[in-house]
């Protein structure tokens, strides 16, 4: 909302929403720097160590294996800014991964503040170099810049990568492969997950592992065994998920088309001893009765 006083006319921006795509839009790698003396001149070789071209900085100095943001313990503020970036495919999120540490003396904790437009996030740093990953909200526009600022203490920065979208939630789409006997479920982004269409009365072993943002994987966890209670099977509940719905019609179609006998026990809905299209009609009738 804008004030009406003295307004001649308004201009409205309209932009089609674009699908979110994970893409590295900016990279800075200062790890090969090997300056050993006390550097009084500010760093100016951005196009050599940063992509795309056009990075800028203020009160930033070359060092061995990285750059230093801030001049001294009493003048700790330094900035590093990207050129304008195209964030139209970001989905409103950026993932920034970087390696950094607190530098030198001074009081308080060192932190690196990352800002784009009205959005910012602050990461507290350790005294030894460590890799960090933070998610930053952003505007989905072409021409946005991202600025890194040392706060109340100097910061030693080794490298950084800016990736569109929040890749910390996992790059994989939720997928289930298998049947009621054995199944692999990938792409789970929550701390809990409900597994359906298992066999009542059967015992199952559950194991899990983590996939990290760099696509490395943990070892499988120890196995946990769960014995499912014996429930009276409901005719028409073809996929055995506890209710009769349109998904049961789909499951029965799969049986008829592909001879998939995973859920055959509850498929003979009309009780004639055969599984046919008449059973599909019966399931439709059951669904209509409960609507």
């Amino acid at each position: 909302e804008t004030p009406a006083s003295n307004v001649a006319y308004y201009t409205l921006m309209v932009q089609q929403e674009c699908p979110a795509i994970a893409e590295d839009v900016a990279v800075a790698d200062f790890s090969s720097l090997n300056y050993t003396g006390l550097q009084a001149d500010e760093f100016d070789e951005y196009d050599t160590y940063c992509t795309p071209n056009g990075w800028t900085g203020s009160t930033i100095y070359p060092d061995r294996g990285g750059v230093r943001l801030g001049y001294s313990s009493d003048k700790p503020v330094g900035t590093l800014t990207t050129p304008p970036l195209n964030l139209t495919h970001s989905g409103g999120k950026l993932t920034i991964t970087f390696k950094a540490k607190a530098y030198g003396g001074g009081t308080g904790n060192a932190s690196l503040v990352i800002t784009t437009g009205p959005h910012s996030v602050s990461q507290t740093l350790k005294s030894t170099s460590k890799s960090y990953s933070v998610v930053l909200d952003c505007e989905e526009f072409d021409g946005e810049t991202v600025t890194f600022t040392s706060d109340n203490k100097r910061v030693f920065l080794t490298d950084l990568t800016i990736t569109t979208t929040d890749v910390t939630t996992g790059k994989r789409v939720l997928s289930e492969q298998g049947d009621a006997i054995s199944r692999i479920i990938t792409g789970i982004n929550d701390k809990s997950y409900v597994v359906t269409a298992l066999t009542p009365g059967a015992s199952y072993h559950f194991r899990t592992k983590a996939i990290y943002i760099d696509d490395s994987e943990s070892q499988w966890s120890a196995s946990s065994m769960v014995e499912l209670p014996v429930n009276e099977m409901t005719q028409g509940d073809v996929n055995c998920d506890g209710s009769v719905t349109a998904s049961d019609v789909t499951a029965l179609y799969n049986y008829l088309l592909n001879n998939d006998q995973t859920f055959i026990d509850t498929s003979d809905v009309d009780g004639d001893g055969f599984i046919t299209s008449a059973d599909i009609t019966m399931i439709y009738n059951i669904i209509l009765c409960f609507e």
Side-chain angles (χ1 to χ4, degrees):
E1 185 174 322
T2 57
S5 177
N6 300 320
V7 171
Y9 61 88
Y10 295 97
T11 299
L12 174 67
M13 175 185 288
V14 179
Q15 180 172 305
Q16 184 179 17
E17 183 176 1
C18 298
I21 300 174
E23 177 186 10
D24 293 342
V25 292
V27 177
D29 187 354
F30 307 110
S31 60
S32 61
L33 283 171
N34 193 31
Y35 190 85
T36 57
L38 178 62
Q39 179 59 276
D41 297 327
E42 291 197 31
F43 182 76
D44 60 3
E45 298 181 83
Y46 297 103
D47 289 349
T48 302
Y49 297 93
C50 308
T51 57
N53 290 347
W55 289 63
T56 58
S58 175
T59 321
I60 178 171
Y61 302 90
D63 211 310
R64 176 180 287 184
V67 293
R68 184 176 74 253
L69 277 66
Y71 179 74
S72 62
S73 58
D74 59 340
K75 297 179 180 180
V77 178
T79 62
L80 174 66
T81 303
T82 70
L85 304 174
N86 186 351
L87 306 183
T88 55
H89 292 279
S90 66
K93 300 285 185 181
L94 296 177
T95 302
I96 297 100
T97 54
F98 60 95
K99 186 176 182 179
K101 68 176 181 178
Y103 185 94
T107 59
N109 294 321
S111 59
L112 187 64
V113 179
I114 308 170
T115 305
T116 179
H119 310 287
S120 66
V121 63
S122 179
Q123 175 64 57
T124 301
L125 305 177
K126 303 290 185 181
S127 59
T128 56
S129 288
K130 181 183 176 183
S131 294
Y132 299 89
S133 180
V134 298
V135 177
L136 175 65
D137 290 336
C138 68
E139 302 300 314
E140 297 178 65
F141 297 129
D142 187 2
E144 298 293 304
T145 60
V146 180
T147 297
F148 300 80
T149 305
S150 55
D151 196 1
N152 62 336
K153 209 170 185 180
R154 288 177 292 173
V155 169
F156 184 89
L157 180 64
T158 301
D159 57 49
L160 67 90
T161 300
I162 302 174
T163 306
T164 51
T165 75
D166 179 0
V167 300
T168 62
T169 58
K171 298 178 183 178
R172 302 181 183 180
V173 176
L174 184 65
S175 171
E176 292 196 24
Q177 295 181 333
D179 50 30
I181 298 175
S182 178
R183 201 176 311 172
I184 294 292
I185 305 166
T186 60
I188 300 172
N189 293 321
D190 295 322
K191 294 182 179 179
S192 63
Y193 184 81
V194 177
V195 183
T196 61
L198 300 178
T199 303
S203 296
Y204 289 90
H205 292 271
F206 292 84
R207 294 190 299 166
T208 186
K209 65 178 176 180
I211 290 81
Y212 302 102
I213 61 175
D214 62 358
D215 286 331
S216 62
E217 300 182 3
S218 70
Q219 297 296 317
W220 284 105
S221 67
S223 176
S224 296
M225 190 187 78
V226 176
E227 183 176 346
L228 300 185
V230 179
N231 295 328
E232 183 179 350
M233 293 184 179
T234 301
Q235 290 302 100
D237 182 15
V238 181
N239 61 10
C240 301
D241 66 353
S243 60
V244 180
T245 64
S247 62
D248 297 298
V249 176
T250 302
L252 193 49
Y253 267 123
N254 289 336
Y255 166 79
L256 294 174
L257 293 175
N258 306 314
N259 197 30
D260 178 3
Q261 302 189 28
T262 302
F263 307 115
I264 193 171
D265 291 338
T266 54
S267 299
D268 183 17
V269 186
D270 61 7
D272 65 354
F274 301 95
I275 300 174
T276 65
S277 59
D279 296 298
I280 293 177
T281 302
M282 291 292 292
I283 294 176
Y284 273 124
N285 290 335
I286 293 172
I287 294 172
L288 290 174
C289 286
F290 284 97
E291 285 186 345

